[in-house]
Amino acid sequence: MSREHQKYRAPDALDHTRELLGKLAREVSVSDWHLVIEVRPDDLPEVALRLRDDETLSCKYISCIIGVDYVDWMEALYLLRSQEHAIPVRLRVRLDRERPEIPSVTYIWSGANWHEREAYDFFGIRFIGHPDLRRILTREDYDTHPMKKDAWPHRVRRTEWRWEDIERPKRLPGETDRRDRS
Amino acid sequence: MSTVESKNDAVNPGSPVNQDGPAKPSFHLEEMILNMGPQHPSTHGVLRLVLHLDGELVVSVEPVLGYLHRGFEKLAESRTYLQYMAMISRLDYLSGFFMEWGYVRSIEALMGVRAPKRAEYIRVIIGELNRIMSHHVAIGDFMLNLGAVTPFFWVFRDREDAMDLVEMVTGQRMMYNYLRVGGVRWDLPDEFEAGCRKFIKEFPAKIDEYEELISDNEIFISRTLGMGIIKPYEALDYGISGPNARASGIDWDLRREVGYSVYPEFDFDVPLGQHGDCFDRYKCRIEEMRQSVRIIEQALDSICGGPVNIKLPPMIRPPAGEAYRAVETPRGEFGVYIVSNGGLRPWRLKLRDPTFSAISMIPKLTAGNKIADLVAIVGSLDLLMGGVDR
């Protein structure tokens, strides 16, 4: 084990977290030197508040919110960190893919605001109670949530295109194209 | 409509409303909306700020992102791990080496491999050179925003020396594509060590020059001291990291706390600010450049021989799983989260950029200040839109 792994004390916090969250957490484990806590969407605000205000964990810093589309279900991942005790925490919330809805945690961490907007933009996850849930990186009238795996059905076969198949503009006789040489 | 009419009445003394008394001089208390950017030189790329102004006072600011959105995360899903390596340094183009580093660390964690010791030393040396180069631009641009042109030329003159060194090793000045999973692309050239030692010998004197020019400047001090204060709890709350957070007194540096690569072997300080204002953020960057020089010097002294690469198949397939690894870039915590399903391409790749969080704090920092101070605050945060818009 390298020193990097020893410095983090996620295993120490495991029992404490189980005690703190009780039945709120579906599962608490240590994986990839993160403390991974799996919760139901409805329990998220309560768990988040307890993690933030707890003396030992005190996850005051929110790193980011990650949406993942697993085709059968969707997932929202909250990367938190306890700055004082150097414990990285992953809050894992499994969502229904047809109706991805989850309570917003903007009032718990102000930084969550834009990360939630991004997850909404890319995956269409609805954060209930978010003050301003709009698209953030793509344009406002975009008709799809681009990071979903079925977002662009017409482009799925894209990798099968070949250079010869692509229609190119006609060239004048004698005119050469640098790309032809390869 | 009624409000508009009454305002018109206020400026027309002859109107019926004002017949009772003498006409009073009055001002329009109308909010003005001003678009700053996306092509404004002081917004560091293509950040658009919609300012709601009351005279010269900023009432509220709304940052608008997405002008540089290239779909980095989506593109990763259709590329192999090595193909994506060529793109990743385009993300945050001023500190592209760290983007590659974070990406490579995530894949190495997924695959359970480690780079040879020599490769880690090379990564640290080039990384710290890149940090110096990035802070050069940060300081130069900040001063340019405040109207001082000379420091901009000074830092770019010195940035060229560091760039020459990096070019000598990687062959590129900005988009390196130098790191590989399990090492680096090729070894250091023979003439690098002498050049690098010359650079780190001369460079501290140049930092003193900047300090003489900038830190003691009365105009600079009066424009930045006590301006745009980030309190420590706010910095945590908004997820701000890097020099911006350290200027607020948050003692957190991934190089020291996580101690990835060979950083635990080196002796360096983490400069901290006290007040978290624009001046402290600038000062933190200056001090970090000095610490980078210290790290490079120690790395050059202790670098060992050996291979710079481990043998891996050309098409790597990390086992199914997930990994998140972060590196300390000049702007803060840059993390890469990869979900692999055991295939040639990542199932999901998320890039956590520090500037994204820093920009989300602009509305809170700038409300109530003047426009000129807004420019100073935005400049001091060292924003770069390449990483934000992805």
Side-chain angles (χ1 to χ4, degrees), chain A residues 95-114:
Chain A
L95 304 170
D96 180 14
R97 193 168 185 279
E98 302 308 314
R99 264 174 77 84
E101 287 183 346
I102 188 169
S104 169
V105 291
T106 307
Y107 66 96
I108 299 172
W109 297 284
S110 311
N113 187 329
W114 280 24

Side-chain angles (χ1 to χ4, degrees), chain B residues 7-213:
Chain B
K7 268 175 192 160
N8 282 340
D9 294 334
V11 286
N12 295 325
S15 63
V17 180
N18 285 337
Q19 269 177 354
D20 308 337
K24 290 177 198 146
S26 64
F27 299 97
H28 273 289
L29 292 177
E30 202 179 333
E31 216 175 68
M32 191 174 101
I33 296 177
L34 185 75
N35 265 307
M36 195 166 137
Q39 282 93 15
H40 196 275
S42 75
T43 53
H44 298 249
V46 284
L47 171 64
R48 176 174 160 220
L49 296 168
V50 181
L51 313 180
H52 294 250
L53 300 171
D54 173 14
E56 211 188 332
L57 280 177
V58 178
V59 178
S60 64
V61 183
E62 194 201 339
V64 183
L65 310 182
Y67 288 91
L68 204 58
H69 181 55
R70 293 151 288 174
F72 260 82
E73 293 174 6
K74 187 74 183 174
L75 285 170
E77 291 171 9
S78 59
R79 271 155 182 74
T80 63
Y81 287 93
L82 191 62
Q83 278 177 332
Y84 194 62
M85 186 73 76
M87 288 178 61
I88 188 89
S89 53
R90 268 83 175 161
L91 188 66
D92 185 343
Y93 37 85
L94 287 181
S95 55
F97 191 82
F98 292 95
M99 305 293 117
E100 291 175 20
W101 201 349
Y103 177 62
V104 158
R105 278 194 73 214
S106 276
I107 301 174
E108 283 173 0
L110 264 178
M111 299 182 67
V113 298
R114 289 186 83 82
K117 202 89 187 267
R118 184 173 174 82
E120 293 287 4
Y121 279 113
I122 295 173
R123 286 178 184 183
V124 167
I125 293 170
I126 308 294
E128 294 304 321
L129 280 173
N130 201 336
R131 190 184 307 275
I132 290 173
M133 285 155 57
S134 177
H135 282 338
H136 268 143
V137 180
I139 292 165
D141 266 9
F142 181 31
M143 297 312 294
L144 202 63
N145 288 358
L146 293 174
V149 184
T150 315
F152 187 74
F153 290 110
W154 285 29
V155 295
F156 269 73
R157 178 199 62 193
D158 301 337
R159 187 166 179 258
E160 208 63 24
D161 299 340
M163 268 192 163
D164 286 343
L165 286 173
V166 178
E167 190 185 359
M168 195 191 286
V169 179
T170 65
Q172 298 284 332
R173 287 158 62 85
M174 277 172 93
M175 318 298 180
Y176 308 110
N177 194 6
Y178 178 60
L179 289 189
R180 288 289 175 271
V181 179
V184 295
R185 210 162 155 199
W186 46 60
D187 207 344
L188 296 174
D190 294 337
E191 64 270 26
F192 175 78
E193 191 182 342
C196 196
R197 280 196 193 279
K198 182 164 169 287
F199 173 77
I200 57 174
K201 197 170 166 228
E202 291 168 355
F203 188 60
K206 287 174 178 166
I207 304 177
D208 292 339
E209 268 182 24
Y210 307 151
E211 289 234 70
E212 236 170 78
L213 184 70

Side-chain angles (χ1 to χ4, degrees), chain B residues 254-269:
Chain B
L254 287 170
R255 288 177 290 172
R256 193 194 57 197
E257 302 298 335
V258 178
Y260 58 91
S261 193
V262 285
Y263 277 116
E265 293 178 12
F266 304 133
D267 176 32
F268 63 98
D269 300 330

Side-chain angles (χ1 to χ4, degrees), chain B residues 212-225:
Chain B
E212 236 170 78
L213 184 70
I214 304 167
S215 306
D216 302 337
N217 187 313
E218 204 163 310
I219 301 169
F220 175 73
I221 290 171
S222 59
R223 282 199 65 182
T224 55
L225 216 58

Side-chain angles (χ1 to χ4, degrees), chain A residues 3-4 7-8 32-33 60-61 63 67 69 77 81 83 90 92 110-111 118 134 146-147 149, chain B residues 62 66 74 77 105 236-237 252 256-258 264 322 324-325 333 337 347-348 350 352 390:
Chain A
R3 188 173 157 177
E4 167 186 325
K7 268 204 143 180
Y8 279 95
D32 189 26
W33 57 264
K60 298 222 178 345
Y61 173 92
S63 179
D69 182 6
L77 248 150
R81 195 170 62 214
Q83 210 97 351
R90 256 185 226 168
R92 184 189 285 275
S110 311
E118 191 201 308
R134 282 181 293 132
M147 290 294 285
K149 291 286 177 186
Chain B
E62 194 201 339
K74 187 74 183 174
E77 291 171 9
R105 278 194 73 214
L236 288 180
D237 197 24
W252 182 268
R256 193 194 57 197
E257 302 298 335
V258 178
E322 50 176 1
Y324 177 84
R325 287 290 184 277
E333 175 195 348
Y337 175 76
W347 179 260
R348 166 87 168 108
K350 157 83 185 177
R352 192 266 175 203
R390 277 165 288 179

